[in-house]
Amino acid sequence: MAKPMTKTQLVAALAEEMGTDKKTASGALDAITSVITREVSQGGAVTLPGVGKIYCRERPERMVRNPATGEQIRKDADKVVKMTIAKALKDSVND
């Protein structure tokens, strides 16, 4: 498995793709991240065309096991961020 792309590498690739400088690309990436974070944290969802849908899902209260002791512990309800990958992206990986 290849190493994940760092933010610096992503900004450089984005700048090249956009035909602009790295400062503008970094600003665009930060703005997109900010919008996604705000929407998902408020319980909404964001669809990135061709990539997927990012959303927040609530998990109910449940019993979990402490792996060190084997003890059963009640875990409170919480929220978790999920992402559904778009079919176009799945198909491009499997081609």
Side-chain angles (χ1 to χ4, degrees):
M1 184 172 147
K3 283 183 148 183
M5 186 180 269
T6 65
K7 181 178 179 181
T8 305
Q9 292 169 331
L10 181 59
V11 166
L14 191 57
E16 185 178 323
E17 190 73 25
M18 292 172 56
T20 186
D21 61 351
K22 290 180 184 177
K23 185 175 181 180
T24 304
S26 180
L29 181 61
D30 290 342
I32 290 170
T33 304
S34 175
V35 169
I36 291 171
T37 303
R38 183 177 61 243
E39 285 300 313
V40 173
S41 67
Q42 293 175 354
V46 177
T47 300
L48 298 172
V51 176
K53 179 179 176 183
I54 303 170
Y55 58 96
C56 183
R57 184 174 77 76
E58 292 188 23
R59 288 198 301 193
E61 183 178 285
R62 61 200 182 279
M63 296 300 289
V64 296
R65 188 178 67 82
N66 181 339
T69 64
E71 177 187 6
Q72 291 282 348
I73 304 169
R74 181 181 312 279
K75 183 155 173 37
D76 294 334
D78 60 352
K79 295 178 181 177
V80 62
V81 176
K82 295 283 191 175
M83 181 168 184
T84 303
I85 305 300
K87 185 176 182 329
L89 181 57
K90 285 181 193 177
D91 291 346
S92 71
V93 170
N94 290 317
D95 283 343

